[in-house]
Amino acid sequence: MKSTGVVRKVDELGRIVLPVELRKTFNIKEKDPIEIYTDQDKIILKKYIPYKECAITGEVRDDNKTYFNNITLSPEGVRLLMEELDKEKVTI
């Protein structure tokens, strides 16, 4: 584990401020969700990245996209869906 050399006090509401340098380094923006983990005597903060599993293939990939009512598809899932729609002669 690497020390940043930054020390912050906890305020009366239990909050701490993350230094702007760390927020930039980890691409944390205002209102981003943060996961909290513990490991023995440590508290670990991590930017929360939602689980993005393709509804068709089950793949979890960074380039999966979410459509309509939270339907997540991988590029392969999109291709398979398009093939299936083409077989059914679905027109838009």
Side-chain angles (χ1 to χ4, degrees):
M1 186 172 357
K2 181 178 170 186
S3 174
T4 64
V6 175
V7 176
R8 294 285 195 244
K9 291 185 179 182
V10 177
D11 74 7
E12 62 278 353
L13 295 176
R15 299 176 295 199
I16 60 168
V17 174
L18 295 176
V20 68
E21 296 84 9
L22 287 176
R23 287 183 277 144
K24 284 181 182 177
T25 299
F26 292 98
N27 194 29
I28 298 172
K29 296 179 182 67
E30 193 174 310
K31 306 230 183 214
D32 278 351
I34 303 294
E35 285 186 280
I36 303 170
Y37 298 90
T38 60
D39 181 13
Q40 297 176 3
D41 64 340
K42 298 172 190 71
I43 298 171
I44 301 164
L45 304 176
K46 181 181 174 197
K47 182 175 178 176
Y48 175 73
I49 300 172
Y51 191 81
K52 294 172 73 173
E53 180 180 352
C54 176
I56 295 174
T57 66
E59 291 178 297
V60 177
R61 298 170 42 136
D62 289 337
D63 58 348
N64 286 1
K65 293 184 182 175
T66 302
Y67 301 93
F68 308 109
N69 293 325
N70 294 321
I71 298 170
T72 301
L73 297 173
S74 66
E76 177 67 7
V78 170
R79 187 187 67 73
L80 292 170
L81 178 61
M82 294 300 288
E83 280 182 11
E84 190 70 23
L85 291 173
D86 190 45
K87 287 179 193 174
E88 298 294 322
K89 308 240 188 265
V90 175
T91 57
I92 300 173

